[in-house]
Amino acid sequence: MIVAGFGFRGAATVASLSDALARAGGAGVALLATAQDKAATDSFTAFATALALPIAAIPANELSRQTTLTLSQASLAARDTGSVAEAAALAAAGPGARLLAPRVVSGDGMATCALAKGADT
């Protein structure tokens, strides 16, 4: 299973999220993941609905346990992880998951996306 993890600012739109997914090469994604406190935002739920994909809401303690490829100082300070997108993707994909690449940033700078593949696929 391939999971798309997202980090995004409050002002991110569905277009921001869609652009980040496209830049990450998100074909074949089965699940969307983000930080628990962001999962129910209007833009993220509308994005998931448009794609007809479920959302995994990842608790902060699970995000901080993931080893990310990206080391954003802002993300470390705010979320105790190097990349919310990478950490969310890894946590949702389960034990033994691996990132397909470092996270990418949407053209407007409002969203990041990373893809992870579960160990069972």
Side-chain angles (χ1 to χ4, degrees), residues 17-112:
L17 297 162
S18 296
D19 182 50
L21 181 61
R23 289 172 185 254
V29 168
L31 179 66
L32 306 178
T34 194
Q36 189 170 39
D37 64 317
K38 296 273 195 170
T41 61
D42 291 343
S43 60
F44 198 68
T45 57
F47 174 61
T49 299
L51 295 175
L53 290 174
I55 295 172
I58 309 300
N61 65 331
E62 286 187 43
L63 292 174
S64 65
R65 285 197 299 246
Q66 306 304 316
T67 301
T68 61
L69 298 175
T70 302
L71 191 59
S72 162
Q73 293 303 315
S75 184
L76 276 172
R79 300 282 183 160
D80 196 28
T81 183
S83 166
V84 172
E86 293 175 13
L90 287 167
R98 65 179 176 81
L99 289 169
L100 300 182
R103 60 120 167 106
V104 297
V105 182
S106 62
D108 64 5
M110 291 288 157
T112 60

